[in-house]
Structure formats: structure tokens, C-alpha cells
Amino acid sequence: MAPASPVRGMLFCHAGPHRLAFAAHEVLAISSPGEEADAASARLAFQAPAGAMRVLVAASGGGVGVDTLEIDAESHPVLPAPCVTVHASGGSLRGFVLARGVLWPLLGLADFERFLRGLRPGAA
Amino acid sequence: MAVHEPEARQSYLVFACGSSWYAVPAESAAEVVTFPELTRVPGAPAHLLGVFAHRGEVIPVVDMGLLVAGVSQSSRRAVLVRLPRGTLGLTASTVAGVSPVTGALEPLGSAGVLVHLRGPAKSGPRDVAVIDPEGLFDHLSQGA
């Protein structure tokens, strides 16, 4: 298994009670749901009703809605994702960040947004 | 049809998840742990309960009751199955210990996870499903 490689600059988020992390350099802007009405709610990835307090806008233009977010400038190790988890998030899972004593799934923002878009009711 | 018998010298770790008993080759069973609060994996199927950090590795935990029978079996203990490609935690409500298994090792079904469970087999008086660890990893890695 590949050794952990640290990542500096993270956004630690929650979707409902569930943890998510994104690399800060992938976030173009932080917006509100009112300004990004088309954003995909991260709650959908946990089979929960859509909803969000803040929206992370990717360079691709798409947005991911989360309930809480915290910017962290520290460097944290990233542990490889086990093989049984890599397909779960549509290939957007980059690994797991060990921070504050718990694991945070580290997701590629644009890929995760595309994955969420496919989970929306009525999505093809 | 040839019936494959478990090798007489092979030992298995026998454990229960709910009312169902399973056996995993002892050389693949690394340890039995009580796992902490799990981190859910976005988009994961319900039987993949989450992951936890253990000795510097991320361990996924699978609810065997949900995976096999679609019935959740609440447990904070897991048998860690270790293969060269990684480690997998299988929920266990009871661990009977290491013992031989007798009987056949034919797939218990022709589709899904049952392809990777073998039998009919017994460990002492118990009916057990013998887990093929490599096959189970393959099944779960395909996003099942």
C-alpha cells in the first residue's frame, strides 16, 4: 500500500452528521444556496434529503452543498482508500484524511459534484 | 460434479453475525477488534458501514447480515480479514474461535455474494458458510 502523502489546506465539511473533506485548491469560491440554486447537495450521497447551508464552487462551475464547513491550513496525512471503497463515490474518493482523531473522506470536488448530480431524482 | 472438501489441515476462524455462522481461513483472519465510531463513505452501499483507522491503515467494515441476508446486525466487533491487497472488517456478534470445518466447499449460490460463500459445511454442531476471502474482496471491490 502506498505511504500516506500529506495535503496542506483543507475544507472540513459536514453533510448532516457525516464528514467530508476537500482540498482547498479545488474550491474556486464559497457561496450560499441562494446564489447557487443548481448546486448538488452532499447529503444525497448519504441517502438523506437534499439541503445545504453553504456551497463549494468547483473550477468546473458546478457546486456542492454542505451543512458546515471549516477551513484548515494545517498539513494532514492522506491514507489510501481501501479497494472496496474506491467505487462508492463515483471515483471521486481520493483517500482519507486523519485529522482531529477521526477519518474524513477526501473527495475531488468536481468529480464528486458530477457523482451527486447523477443521484438527483430524475437523473438519467 | 466434483465436491471439494475443506483441507483437513486447514483451520478456520468461526464467528457469527446474528443467527448465521461463518468461517474464514485462519491464515487470513488477522485479529478480532472492537471498532470505534465509523466514518461513512459517501455513496457506499448500506452493507458498507464505514471505515476506521487501525495501525495506520483504513479498514472498511462490512455488515455481514446486511450483505448476505439484507438484515442489519448491530455489532461493534469485527473480524479483520487480511489479504495482500488490504484488510476488511466483517461484523461479528460472537466469535467461537479457531476450529476445523468439515463438509463441502461448493458455492452457496450462483449470483451475488453467495458465489463467494461455500458449503454446506459444519464446524462442530454448527452449520457454517465458508468465506472465500479473495472472492469476497473482488465482489465488494466491484461496488457491490
Side-chain angles (χ1 to χ4, degrees):
Chain A
M1 186 172 289
S5 53
V7 168
R8 182 178 292 277
M10 296 267 182
L11 272 73
F12 291 125
C13 307
H14 283 90
H18 305 292
R19 294 182 287 274
L20 302 167
F22 301 93
H25 67 82
E26 293 189 13
V27 181
L28 191 67
I30 298 170
S31 187
S32 67
E35 295 169 340
E36 298 286 340
D38 197 37
S41 170
R43 291 188 202 170
L44 294 175
F46 302 99
Q47 295 82 46
M53 300 297 288
R54 309 296 295 276
V55 174
L56 310 181
V57 181
S60 60
V64 171
V66 297
D67 293 303
T68 69
L69 72 85
E70 194 174 333
I71 299 169
D72 188 309
E74 298 295 313
S75 181
H76 296 287
V78 179
L79 302 173
C83 58
V84 303
T85 65
V86 294
H87 292 293
S89 311
S92 61
L93 184 64
R94 304 285 186 258
F96 290 88
V97 179
L98 183 56
R100 303 167 190 179
V102 291
L103 291 173
W104 301 71
L106 177 64
L107 299 153
L109 183 59
D111 289 342
F112 188 52
E113 189 271 339
R114 275 192 290 274
F115 169 68
L116 292 172
R117 201 165 289 283
L119 297 181
R120 282 177 162 177
Chain B
M1 181 171 62
V3 175
H4 300 99
E5 297 281 340
E7 286 187 33
R9 284 174 295 176
Q10 191 166 15
S11 295
Y12 292 82
L13 180 69
V14 177
F15 65 98
C17 186
S19 59
S20 298
W21 287 87
Y22 300 94
V24 63
E27 71 265 19
S28 301
E31 57 186 308
V32 179
V33 300
T34 299
F35 54 83
E37 178 199 355
L38 298 176
T39 296
R40 285 282 295 166
V41 179
H47 59 255
L48 181 53
L49 299 181
V51 298
F52 69 101
H54 184 64
R55 304 183 202 277
E57 187 181 1
V58 178
I59 311 288
V61 177
V62 170
D63 183 330
M64 287 298 290
L66 265 178
L67 177 66
V68 177
V71 179
S72 180
Q73 298 292 340
S74 176
S75 174
R76 294 297 297 271
R77 283 208 298 174
V79 172
L80 301 191
V81 178
R82 186 157 294 148
L83 294 177
R85 62 177 124 168
T87 305
L88 183 64
L90 305 177
T91 54
S93 49
T94 306
V95 178
V98 175
S99 64
V101 166
T102 59
L105 285 182
E106 295 302 313
L108 294 181
S110 57
V113 70
L114 293 182
V115 174
H116 311 294
L117 299 177
R118 307 295 173 91
K122 280 188 171 289
S123 173
R126 302 183 184 99
D127 292 320
V128 298
V130 177
I131 295 171
D132 165 20
E134 289 282 357
L136 182 61
F137 260 78
D138 286 341
H139 177 73
L140 294 167
S141 299
Q142 289 160 9

